[in-house]
Amino acid sequence: MAELGPGEGMATDVAEQAEGYARLLDAGLAPIAAVSRRIAELKPRFVLFTARGTSDHAALFAAYLTEIRLGIPTGLASPSAITVYGARPDLRDALVVGVSQSGGSPDLTEVVRVARDAGAHTLAVTNNPDSPLADIAEMHVDVLAGKERAVAATKTYTAELMALLLLVESVRGIDAADRAELDRLPELARGVLADPTATQLAARYRFADRLVTTGRGYAYPTARETALKLMETSYLSALAFSGADLLHGPLAMADPDVPVLAVVGDGPGGKAMGEVLGRLAERRADVLTVGSGAAPANAVRIPTPRVDERFSPLLDILPLQQLALSLAIARGEDPDAPRGLKKVTETL
């Protein structure tokens, strides 16, 4: 088999995401619904997600969903509290969810093991049903993404988003309107991926030294994942802030020489970005907005389809992945194999 050129693996992974959505809606929904029914029966008093890297951003999205849609207090666990400091918190009646593409991270496996011993119900969300994390957890959800070619995660990230979305919504109960909108996502994703705007914009940021990404609510995980992709593929100094946090001290770094990538939908989170965009305009910042929300007159924009804000992260991240891919290649890098990175995080 011919060796792939720089970025060809990541490009193929990115292109397969619409099919990944369709696969989860078809083959994945029934097993996810079965896990959701079990969670509903257990009635956890709170939920803790534990993850690393890209999966941590998917977990953050799920945390927003769980609190907003299910009304259950939710947080992100600090694995080092258990693996480094030996903490043994009281987790009776909690649901602890480990999110990991490989399922091979020792620290996450240890957190889930300790949580189960401490009385928690445990769930693993992975792309590998035979992994140590899936084996140690009481329940498992397979995100069905298939083998990912590039080290930088793309299709496994969006598969985690979709699986976690279906999990939470199935606990609540997916009505006909939501099911119809979910069924539109694969085709909408194909349309977003066919838009060349993100690729064309890569040259605009080729010589940037640093960037800022920002968003609020459901868009905040997208901002964080975008910053990570830019750092690990183009070696840019990319800082992610919620829109609310950006309005404090970090706003001082915004100027025409520091591009800002803002994820802006037309739901409550996107509307809450209005003041942020206004303040950035006052500072004459170089702003690129991604999403279905309105953009200020001075901003460059990559539009995405208008959907319920819960579903926007599955579309908004796609052009930002394309931007990271094209920017890395423009800067002479190979995003398939970022320097010094491995697919499995082995921190303990």
Side-chain angles (χ1 to χ4, degrees), residues 60-94:
L60 178 59
F61 167 67
Y64 274 102
L65 276 172
T66 303
E67 287 202 329
I68 295 168
R69 299 292 289 167
L70 303 181
I72 302 174
T74 307
L76 299 178
S78 300
S80 60
I82 289 172
T83 61
V84 176
Y85 292 97
R88 293 297 182 265
D90 182 358
L91 294 172
R92 287 172 294 177
D93 301 321

PDB file of all heavy atoms in Angstrom, residues 60-94:
ATOM      1  N   LEU A  60     -16.723  17.653  28.269  1.00  0.00           N
ATOM      2  CA  LEU A  60     -17.248  18.959  28.657  1.00  0.00           C
ATOM      3  C   LEU A  60     -18.586  19.231  27.974  1.00  0.00           C
ATOM      4  O   LEU A  60     -19.528  19.740  28.589  1.00  0.00           O
ATOM      5  CB  LEU A  60     -16.233  20.050  28.308  1.00  0.00           C
ATOM      6  CG  LEU A  60     -16.641  21.498  28.609  1.00  0.00           C
ATOM      7  CD1 LEU A  60     -16.951  21.700  30.091  1.00  0.00           C
ATOM      8  CD2 LEU A  60     -15.545  22.458  28.160  1.00  0.00           C
ATOM      9  N   PHE A  61     -18.676  18.888  26.696  1.00  0.00           N
ATOM     10  CA  PHE A  61     -19.948  19.006  25.970  1.00  0.00           C
ATOM     11  C   PHE A  61     -21.027  18.175  26.664  1.00  0.00           C
ATOM     12  O   PHE A  61     -22.160  18.645  26.880  1.00  0.00           O
ATOM     13  CB  PHE A  61     -19.738  18.534  24.530  1.00  0.00           C
ATOM     14  CG  PHE A  61     -21.001  18.311  23.744  1.00  0.00           C
ATOM     15  CD1 PHE A  61     -21.827  19.370  23.398  1.00  0.00           C
ATOM     16  CD2 PHE A  61     -21.363  17.032  23.336  1.00  0.00           C
ATOM     17  CE1 PHE A  61     -22.990  19.160  22.660  1.00  0.00           C
ATOM     18  CE2 PHE A  61     -22.511  16.804  22.598  1.00  0.00           C
ATOM     19  CZ  PHE A  61     -23.337  17.875  22.262  1.00  0.00           C
ATOM     20  N   ALA A  62     -20.689  16.949  27.037  1.00  0.00           N
ATOM     21  CA  ALA A  62     -21.656  16.081  27.712  1.00  0.00           C
ATOM     22  C   ALA A  62     -22.045  16.622  29.074  1.00  0.00           C
ATOM     23  O   ALA A  62     -23.190  16.442  29.521  1.00  0.00           O
ATOM     24  CB  ALA A  62     -21.088  14.672  27.841  1.00  0.00           C
ATOM     25  N   ALA A  63     -21.120  17.297  29.744  1.00  0.00           N
ATOM     26  CA  ALA A  63     -21.433  17.892  31.045  1.00  0.00           C
ATOM     27  C   ALA A  63     -22.475  19.000  30.888  1.00  0.00           C
ATOM     28  O   ALA A  63     -23.419  19.099  31.686  1.00  0.00           O
ATOM     29  CB  ALA A  63     -20.164  18.428  31.692  1.00  0.00           C
ATOM     30  N   TYR A  64     -22.301  19.845  29.878  1.00  0.00           N
ATOM     31  CA  TYR A  64     -23.316  20.862  29.607  1.00  0.00           C
ATOM     32  C   TYR A  64     -24.671  20.204  29.335  1.00  0.00           C
ATOM     33  O   TYR A  64     -25.701  20.612  29.891  1.00  0.00           O
ATOM     34  CB  TYR A  64     -22.918  21.693  28.381  1.00  0.00           C
ATOM     35  CG  TYR A  64     -22.016  22.861  28.661  1.00  0.00           C
ATOM     36  CD1 TYR A  64     -20.649  22.798  28.396  1.00  0.00           C
ATOM     37  CD2 TYR A  64     -22.517  24.051  29.173  1.00  0.00           C
ATOM     38  CE1 TYR A  64     -19.813  23.872  28.644  1.00  0.00           C
ATOM     39  CE2 TYR A  64     -21.699  25.134  29.418  1.00  0.00           C
ATOM     40  CZ  TYR A  64     -20.349  25.043  29.155  1.00  0.00           C
ATOM     41  OH  TYR A  64     -19.529  26.115  29.393  1.00  0.00           O
ATOM     42  N   LEU A  65     -24.666  19.199  28.481  1.00  0.00           N
ATOM     43  CA  LEU A  65     -25.924  18.510  28.139  1.00  0.00           C
ATOM     44  C   LEU A  65     -26.592  17.919  29.371  1.00  0.00           C
ATOM     45  O   LEU A  65     -27.812  18.048  29.551  1.00  0.00           O
ATOM     46  CB  LEU A  65     -25.645  17.380  27.150  1.00  0.00           C
ATOM     47  CG  LEU A  65     -25.569  17.698  25.666  1.00  0.00           C
ATOM     48  CD1 LEU A  65     -25.093  16.463  24.905  1.00  0.00           C
ATOM     49  CD2 LEU A  65     -26.928  18.146  25.131  1.00  0.00           C
ATOM     50  N   THR A  66     -25.797  17.260  30.214  1.00  0.00           N
ATOM     51  CA  THR A  66     -26.364  16.562  31.366  1.00  0.00           C
ATOM     52  C   THR A  66     -27.020  17.533  32.342  1.00  0.00           C
ATOM     53  O   THR A  66     -28.125  17.278  32.845  1.00  0.00           O
ATOM     54  CB  THR A  66     -25.273  15.743  32.067  1.00  0.00           C
ATOM     55  OG1 THR A  66     -24.682  14.833  31.130  1.00  0.00           O
ATOM     56  CG2 THR A  66     -25.845  14.946  33.232  1.00  0.00           C
ATOM     57  N   GLU A  67     -26.358  18.640  32.615  1.00  0.00           N
ATOM     58  CA  GLU A  67     -26.940  19.611  33.547  1.00  0.00           C
ATOM     59  C   GLU A  67     -28.144  20.318  32.943  1.00  0.00           C
ATOM     60  O   GLU A  67     -29.164  20.524  33.620  1.00  0.00           O
ATOM     61  CB  GLU A  67     -25.885  20.627  33.969  1.00  0.00           C
ATOM     62  CG  GLU A  67     -24.859  20.047  34.919  1.00  0.00           C
ATOM     63  CD  GLU A  67     -24.149  21.106  35.747  1.00  0.00           C
ATOM     64  OE1 GLU A  67     -23.974  22.240  35.258  1.00  0.00           O
ATOM     65  OE2 GLU A  67     -23.772  20.789  36.886  1.00  0.00           O
ATOM     66  N   ILE A  68     -28.041  20.703  31.672  1.00  0.00           N
ATOM     67  CA  ILE A  68     -29.112  21.480  31.039  1.00  0.00           C
ATOM     68  C   ILE A  68     -30.310  20.606  30.708  1.00  0.00           C
ATOM     69  O   ILE A  68     -31.461  20.984  30.964  1.00  0.00           O
ATOM     70  CB  ILE A  68     -28.583  22.182  29.774  1.00  0.00           C
ATOM     71  CG1 ILE A  68     -27.533  23.223  30.132  1.00  0.00           C
ATOM     72  CG2 ILE A  68     -29.723  22.848  28.999  1.00  0.00           C
ATOM     73  CD1 ILE A  68     -26.744  23.757  28.946  1.00  0.00           C
ATOM     74  N   ARG A  69     -30.077  19.441  30.156  1.00  0.00           N
ATOM     75  CA  ARG A  69     -31.163  18.596  29.666  1.00  0.00           C
ATOM     76  C   ARG A  69     -31.733  17.667  30.742  1.00  0.00           C
ATOM     77  O   ARG A  69     -32.922  17.353  30.722  1.00  0.00           O
ATOM     78  CB  ARG A  69     -30.681  17.767  28.482  1.00  0.00           C
ATOM     79  CG  ARG A  69     -30.230  18.597  27.290  1.00  0.00           C
ATOM     80  CD  ARG A  69     -31.390  19.309  26.638  1.00  0.00           C
ATOM     81  NE  ARG A  69     -32.249  18.364  25.930  1.00  0.00           N
ATOM     82  CZ  ARG A  69     -33.461  18.662  25.468  1.00  0.00           C
ATOM     83  NH1 ARG A  69     -33.986  19.861  25.679  1.00  0.00           N
ATOM     84  NH2 ARG A  69     -34.174  17.763  24.811  1.00  0.00           N
ATOM     85  N   LEU A  70     -30.880  17.212  31.679  1.00  0.00           N
ATOM     86  CA  LEU A  70     -31.344  16.253  32.686  1.00  0.00           C
ATOM     87  C   LEU A  70     -31.455  16.850  34.078  1.00  0.00           C
ATOM     88  O   LEU A  70     -32.037  16.235  34.969  1.00  0.00           O
ATOM     89  CB  LEU A  70     -30.405  15.039  32.727  1.00  0.00           C
ATOM     90  CG  LEU A  70     -30.216  14.274  31.408  1.00  0.00           C
ATOM     91  CD1 LEU A  70     -29.277  13.095  31.621  1.00  0.00           C
ATOM     92  CD2 LEU A  70     -31.552  13.814  30.843  1.00  0.00           C
ATOM     93  N   GLY A  71     -30.872  18.027  34.283  1.00  0.00           N
ATOM     94  CA  GLY A  71     -30.943  18.662  35.599  1.00  0.00           C
ATOM     95  C   GLY A  71     -30.150  17.954  36.676  1.00  0.00           C
ATOM     96  O   GLY A  71     -30.435  18.116  37.867  1.00  0.00           O
ATOM     97  N   ILE A  72     -29.136  17.186  36.272  1.00  0.00           N
ATOM     98  CA  ILE A  72     -28.319  16.450  37.235  1.00  0.00           C
ATOM     99  C   ILE A  72     -26.997  17.193  37.428  1.00  0.00           C
ATOM    100  O   ILE A  72     -26.325  17.516  36.442  1.00  0.00           O
ATOM    101  CB  ILE A  72     -28.040  15.015  36.743  1.00  0.00           C
ATOM    102  CG1 ILE A  72     -29.346  14.260  36.504  1.00  0.00           C
ATOM    103  CG2 ILE A  72     -27.176  14.260  37.757  1.00  0.00           C
ATOM    104  CD1 ILE A  72     -29.143  12.880  35.887  1.00  0.00           C
ATOM    105  N   PRO A  73     -26.601  17.486  38.668  1.00  0.00           N
ATOM    106  CA  PRO A  73     -25.294  18.140  38.875  1.00  0.00           C
ATOM    107  C   PRO A  73     -24.178  17.324  38.241  1.00  0.00           C
ATOM    108  O   PRO A  73     -24.128  16.097  38.375  1.00  0.00           O
ATOM    109  CB  PRO A  73     -25.158  18.179  40.399  1.00  0.00           C
ATOM    110  CG  PRO A  73     -26.556  18.080  40.911  1.00  0.00           C
ATOM    111  CD  PRO A  73     -27.308  17.228  39.935  1.00  0.00           C
ATOM    112  N   THR A  74     -23.288  18.012  37.552  1.00  0.00           N
ATOM    113  CA  THR A  74     -22.285  17.332  36.735  1.00  0.00           C
ATOM    114  C   THR A  74     -20.951  18.047  36.848  1.00  0.00           C
ATOM    115  O   THR A  74     -20.891  19.266  36.981  1.00  0.00           O
ATOM    116  CB  THR A  74     -22.727  17.318  35.260  1.00  0.00           C
ATOM    117  OG1 THR A  74     -24.038  16.773  35.162  1.00  0.00           O
ATOM    118  CG2 THR A  74     -21.789  16.479  34.408  1.00  0.00           C
ATOM    119  N   GLY A  75     -19.867  17.301  36.781  1.00  0.00           N
ATOM    120  CA  GLY A  75     -18.543  17.899  36.809  1.00  0.00           C
ATOM    121  C   GLY A  75     -17.544  17.062  36.052  1.00  0.00           C
ATOM    122  O   GLY A  75     -17.834  15.944  35.598  1.00  0.00           O
ATOM    123  N   LEU A  76     -16.337  17.615  35.890  1.00  0.00           N
ATOM    124  CA  LEU A  76     -15.223  16.911  35.275  1.00  0.00           C
ATOM    125  C   LEU A  76     -14.250  16.520  36.381  1.00  0.00           C
ATOM    126  O   LEU A  76     -13.763  17.377  37.119  1.00  0.00           O
ATOM    127  CB  LEU A  76     -14.521  17.792  34.246  1.00  0.00           C
ATOM    128  CG  LEU A  76     -15.388  18.267  33.068  1.00  0.00           C
ATOM    129  CD1 LEU A  76     -14.572  19.166  32.151  1.00  0.00           C
ATOM    130  CD2 LEU A  76     -15.940  17.083  32.287  1.00  0.00           C
ATOM    131  N   ALA A  77     -13.990  15.240  36.509  1.00  0.00           N
ATOM    132  CA  ALA A  77     -13.097  14.751  37.558  1.00  0.00           C
ATOM    133  C   ALA A  77     -11.656  15.140  37.250  1.00  0.00           C
ATOM    134  O   ALA A  77     -11.273  15.308  36.094  1.00  0.00           O
ATOM    135  CB  ALA A  77     -13.213  13.241  37.675  1.00  0.00           C
ATOM    136  N   SER A  78     -10.849  15.284  38.287  1.00  0.00           N
ATOM    137  CA  SER A  78      -9.415  15.509  38.150  1.00  0.00           C
ATOM    138  C   SER A  78      -8.717  14.179  38.388  1.00  0.00           C
ATOM    139  O   SER A  78      -8.563  13.763  39.549  1.00  0.00           O
ATOM    140  CB  SER A  78      -8.942  16.545  39.162  1.00  0.00           C
ATOM    141  OG  SER A  78      -9.602  17.777  38.979  1.00  0.00           O
ATOM    142  N   PRO A  79      -8.298  13.483  37.333  1.00  0.00           N
ATOM    143  CA  PRO A  79      -7.708  12.151  37.531  1.00  0.00           C
ATOM    144  C   PRO A  79      -6.544  12.141  38.500  1.00  0.00           C
ATOM    145  O   PRO A  79      -6.373  11.187  39.275  1.00  0.00           O
ATOM    146  CB  PRO A  79      -7.258  11.764  36.109  1.00  0.00           C
ATOM    147  CG  PRO A  79      -8.194  12.504  35.207  1.00  0.00           C
ATOM    148  CD  PRO A  79      -8.438  13.819  35.892  1.00  0.00           C
ATOM    149  N   SER A  80      -5.716  13.198  38.507  1.00  0.00           N
ATOM    150  CA  SER A  80      -4.542  13.192  39.379  1.00  0.00           C
ATOM    151  C   SER A  80      -4.909  13.198  40.855  1.00  0.00           C
ATOM    152  O   SER A  80      -4.101  12.772  41.698  1.00  0.00           O
ATOM    153  CB  SER A  80      -3.630  14.379  39.063  1.00  0.00           C
ATOM    154  OG  SER A  80      -4.312  15.600  39.247  1.00  0.00           O
ATOM    155  N   ALA A  81      -6.107  13.670  41.203  1.00  0.00           N
ATOM    156  CA  ALA A  81      -6.520  13.617  42.606  1.00  0.00           C
ATOM    157  C   ALA A  81      -6.515  12.179  43.105  1.00  0.00           C
ATOM    158  O   ALA A  81      -6.156  11.898  44.257  1.00  0.00           O
ATOM    159  CB  ALA A  81      -7.910  14.230  42.772  1.00  0.00           C
ATOM    160  N   ILE A  82      -6.870  11.253  42.209  1.00  0.00           N
ATOM    161  CA  ILE A  82      -6.901   9.832  42.557  1.00  0.00           C
ATOM    162  C   ILE A  82      -5.574   9.163  42.265  1.00  0.00           C
ATOM    163  O   ILE A  82      -5.022   8.444  43.107  1.00  0.00           O
ATOM    164  CB  ILE A  82      -8.052   9.141  41.800  1.00  0.00           C
ATOM    165  CG1 ILE A  82      -9.404   9.585  42.393  1.00  0.00           C
ATOM    166  CG2 ILE A  82      -7.916   7.615  41.841  1.00  0.00           C
ATOM    167  CD1 ILE A  82     -10.609   9.115  41.620  1.00  0.00           C
ATOM    168  N   THR A  83      -5.011   9.396  41.056  1.00  0.00           N
ATOM    169  CA  THR A  83      -3.835   8.633  40.638  1.00  0.00           C
ATOM    170  C   THR A  83      -2.536   9.155  41.230  1.00  0.00           C
ATOM    171  O   THR A  83      -1.581   8.400  41.389  1.00  0.00           O
ATOM    172  CB  THR A  83      -3.720   8.631  39.103  1.00  0.00           C
ATOM    173  OG1 THR A  83      -3.577   9.977  38.632  1.00  0.00           O
ATOM    174  CG2 THR A  83      -4.946   8.001  38.470  1.00  0.00           C
ATOM    175  N   VAL A  84      -2.458  10.440  41.541  1.00  0.00           N
ATOM    176  CA  VAL A  84      -1.229  11.020  42.094  1.00  0.00           C
ATOM    177  C   VAL A  84      -1.329  11.221  43.607  1.00  0.00           C
ATOM    178  O   VAL A  84      -0.399  10.921  44.351  1.00  0.00           O
ATOM    179  CB  VAL A  84      -0.889  12.356  41.397  1.00  0.00           C
ATOM    180  CG1 VAL A  84       0.340  13.010  42.036  1.00  0.00           C
ATOM    181  CG2 VAL A  84      -0.656  12.131  39.907  1.00  0.00           C
ATOM    182  N   TYR A  85      -2.493  11.738  44.058  1.00  0.00           N
ATOM    183  CA  TYR A  85      -2.640  12.082  45.478  1.00  0.00           C
ATOM    184  C   TYR A  85      -3.357  11.014  46.297  1.00  0.00           C
ATOM    185  O   TYR A  85      -3.451  11.131  47.516  1.00  0.00           O
ATOM    186  CB  TYR A  85      -3.373  13.416  45.613  1.00  0.00           C
ATOM    187  CG  TYR A  85      -2.561  14.580  45.100  1.00  0.00           C
ATOM    188  CD1 TYR A  85      -2.750  15.060  43.814  1.00  0.00           C
ATOM    189  CD2 TYR A  85      -1.589  15.179  45.885  1.00  0.00           C
ATOM    190  CE1 TYR A  85      -2.004  16.116  43.318  1.00  0.00           C
ATOM    191  CE2 TYR A  85      -0.829  16.232  45.408  1.00  0.00           C
ATOM    192  CZ  TYR A  85      -1.038  16.695  44.127  1.00  0.00           C
ATOM    193  OH  TYR A  85      -0.285  17.735  43.644  1.00  0.00           O
ATOM    194  N   GLY A  86      -3.878   9.999  45.628  1.00  0.00           N
ATOM    195  CA  GLY A  86      -4.489   8.900  46.366  1.00  0.00           C
ATOM    196  C   GLY A  86      -5.842   9.207  46.977  1.00  0.00           C
ATOM    197  O   GLY A  86      -6.275   8.525  47.909  1.00  0.00           O
ATOM    198  N   ALA A  87      -6.540  10.218  46.464  1.00  0.00           N
ATOM    199  CA  ALA A  87      -7.864  10.557  46.999  1.00  0.00           C
ATOM    200  C   ALA A  87      -8.838   9.408  46.759  1.00  0.00           C
ATOM    201  O   ALA A  87      -8.774   8.729  45.731  1.00  0.00           O
ATOM    202  CB  ALA A  87      -8.385  11.831  46.349  1.00  0.00           C
ATOM    203  N   ARG A  88      -9.730   9.219  47.686  1.00  0.00           N
ATOM    204  CA  ARG A  88     -10.764   8.197  47.565  1.00  0.00           C
ATOM    205  C   ARG A  88     -12.105   8.842  47.939  1.00  0.00           C
ATOM    206  O   ARG A  88     -12.643   8.630  49.027  1.00  0.00           O
ATOM    207  CB  ARG A  88     -10.463   6.990  48.470  1.00  0.00           C
ATOM    208  CG  ARG A  88      -9.227   6.202  48.056  1.00  0.00           C
ATOM    209  CD  ARG A  88      -9.385   5.594  46.678  1.00  0.00           C
ATOM    210  NE  ARG A  88      -8.239   4.789  46.256  1.00  0.00           N
ATOM    211  CZ  ARG A  88      -7.234   5.250  45.516  1.00  0.00           C
ATOM    212  NH1 ARG A  88      -7.223   6.535  45.134  1.00  0.00           N
ATOM    213  NH2 ARG A  88      -6.260   4.452  45.142  1.00  0.00           N
ATOM    214  N   PRO A  89     -12.678   9.645  47.034  1.00  0.00           N
ATOM    215  CA  PRO A  89     -13.917  10.356  47.344  1.00  0.00           C
ATOM    216  C   PRO A  89     -15.111   9.412  47.473  1.00  0.00           C
ATOM    217  O   PRO A  89     -15.115   8.305  46.924  1.00  0.00           O
ATOM    218  CB  PRO A  89     -14.097  11.292  46.139  1.00  0.00           C
ATOM    219  CG  PRO A  89     -13.342  10.631  45.029  1.00  0.00           C
ATOM    220  CD  PRO A  89     -12.177   9.949  45.680  1.00  0.00           C
ATOM    221  N   ASP A  90     -16.097   9.862  48.209  1.00  0.00           N
ATOM    222  CA  ASP A  90     -17.340   9.107  48.374  1.00  0.00           C
ATOM    223  C   ASP A  90     -18.170   9.275  47.108  1.00  0.00           C
ATOM    224  O   ASP A  90     -18.687  10.350  46.827  1.00  0.00           O
ATOM    225  CB  ASP A  90     -18.115   9.637  49.584  1.00  0.00           C
ATOM    226  CG  ASP A  90     -19.404   8.863  49.834  1.00  0.00           C
ATOM    227  OD1 ASP A  90     -19.720   7.938  49.047  1.00  0.00           O
ATOM    228  OD2 ASP A  90     -20.115   9.207  50.795  1.00  0.00           O
ATOM    229  N   LEU A  91     -18.282   8.216  46.326  1.00  0.00           N
ATOM    230  CA  LEU A  91     -18.974   8.295  45.036  1.00  0.00           C
ATOM    231  C   LEU A  91     -20.224   7.417  45.005  1.00  0.00           C
ATOM    232  O   LEU A  91     -20.698   7.042  43.937  1.00  0.00           O
ATOM    233  CB  LEU A  91     -18.010   7.895  43.912  1.00  0.00           C
ATOM    234  CG  LEU A  91     -16.826   8.858  43.718  1.00  0.00           C
ATOM    235  CD1 LEU A  91     -15.827   8.278  42.724  1.00  0.00           C
ATOM    236  CD2 LEU A  91     -17.306  10.228  43.252  1.00  0.00           C
ATOM    237  N   ARG A  92     -20.767   7.144  46.168  1.00  0.00           N
ATOM    238  CA  ARG A  92     -22.007   6.363  46.198  1.00  0.00           C
ATOM    239  C   ARG A  92     -23.116   7.101  45.459  1.00  0.00           C
ATOM    240  O   ARG A  92     -23.286   8.309  45.619  1.00  0.00           O
ATOM    241  CB  ARG A  92     -22.425   6.107  47.649  1.00  0.00           C
ATOM    242  CG  ARG A  92     -21.572   5.078  48.380  1.00  0.00           C
ATOM    243  CD  ARG A  92     -21.915   5.036  49.843  1.00  0.00           C
ATOM    244  NE  ARG A  92     -21.567   6.296  50.516  1.00  0.00           N
ATOM    245  CZ  ARG A  92     -21.819   6.560  51.787  1.00  0.00           C
ATOM    246  NH1 ARG A  92     -22.446   5.657  52.535  1.00  0.00           N
ATOM    247  NH2 ARG A  92     -21.454   7.713  52.315  1.00  0.00           N
ATOM    248  N   ASP A  93     -23.861   6.364  44.662  1.00  0.00           N
ATOM    249  CA  ASP A  93     -24.998   6.884  43.891  1.00  0.00           C
ATOM    250  C   ASP A  93     -24.577   7.855  42.796  1.00  0.00           C
ATOM    251  O   ASP A  93     -25.421   8.555  42.228  1.00  0.00           O
ATOM    252  CB  ASP A  93     -26.028   7.567  44.808  1.00  0.00           C
ATOM    253  CG  ASP A  93     -26.573   6.627  45.857  1.00  0.00           C
ATOM    254  OD1 ASP A  93     -26.799   5.440  45.515  1.00  0.00           O
ATOM    255  OD2 ASP A  93     -26.765   7.054  47.005  1.00  0.00           O
ATOM    256  N   ALA A  94     -23.286   7.917  42.491  1.00  0.00           N
ATOM    257  CA  ALA A  94     -22.818   8.754  41.382  1.00  0.00           C
ATOM    258  C   ALA A  94     -22.680   7.893  40.132  1.00  0.00           C
ATOM    259  O   ALA A  94     -22.570   6.666  40.197  1.00  0.00           O
ATOM    260  CB  ALA A  94     -21.474   9.381  41.715  1.00  0.00           C
TER     261      ALA A  94
END
